[in-house]
Amino acid sequence: MSLLQELRQRAAARPAHIVLSEGHDPRIVAGAIAAVEAGIARVTLVGPTAQVEEMLAGAGSRPDGIEIADPATSPMTEDFAQNYFDLRKHKNISEDVARIQARDPLIFAALMVRAGRADGSVGGAVATTSDTVRAALQVIGKAADAPIVSSFFVMALPKDHPSGRRGMIFADCGLVIEPDAAELAAIAAASADSCQQLLGESPKVALLSFSTMGSARHAAVTKVTDALEILKRDHPDLDADGELQFDAAFVPQVAASKAPESAVAGQANVMVFPDLDAGNIGYKIAQRIGGCDAIGPVLQGLAKPANDLSRGCTAQDVTDMIAVTVLQAGAAGA
């Protein structure tokens, strides 16, 4: 069984209610139908009723478990507008503006999650990451115990990969542009938890750099080693090491040469990139040249699950992201 098949199977064992903010998009509709038919989730599609109905008719299937919520006509909208005003009045928005903004599909979906009308949300097939994440941060908010909200990708390796691995976590590839050392440590700790939650593996965290164990000196390298010190101080039981080049973190033979004393080198399943440039480029190379399936950006550090899709996503990506969101919701409710 592939990693993605396993994620879908685990989600189906404990399905949840997921709201999708872009019910007018054919990929969203097809991915939602597949998720419902697989027993992964009950789904609400947000959007103009006529448009969503047309998409469902075009898909040729509307299984039980798919609902439509039109912010223009939904009985939830008026309460949501008041909730949104209460959340944002400190920013001096008026009740009239709140009433308009609560009808925005991204905000409406996030308000459903905040109000407990859904267990998690998924968007970003059409909307930008900045808009998708902004709605989640403003409405759902950061978890009380999270130092930072960040993101990761679940990287599912091709079948029979020479490394023998099925999956890895790459972070942060979609949100935090230039983390400082403390933020990098927080991203690493959150990603380790996400590895345990989604991959079901004990995390081995590599803090990546262009240097391995002092092979180069630069302020960028110092940031990574400082992050490791913070991570070790705050999470002394976590298997983590750095600074490591990607090959030293991933390939046992290279690790034996470059970092022979490291318990993580050559075995890392959580790759923490030093900034968004490296992370975003790295995951796309692994996806487009390496043949990995990349599910994300998955957000971590929110009070309740809300996830972002790539605008280049497929219907299968949507189904897989629904499965990931269901698993996050299950962990949050455990």
Side-chain angles (χ1 to χ4, degrees), residues 23 25-26 29-30 33 50-62:
D25 186 90
V29 171
I33 289 171
Q51 231 181 327
V52 179
E53 292 277 15
E54 183 180 353
M55 288 292 104
L56 286 165
S61 174
R62 184 175 175 175

Side-chain angles (χ1 to χ4, degrees), residues 84-95:
Y84 189 68
F85 172 70
D86 291 340
L87 279 171
R88 302 297 295 164
K89 61 187 177 184
H90 69 287
K91 293 293 186 180
N92 296 318
I93 72 165
S94 68
E95 290 191 58

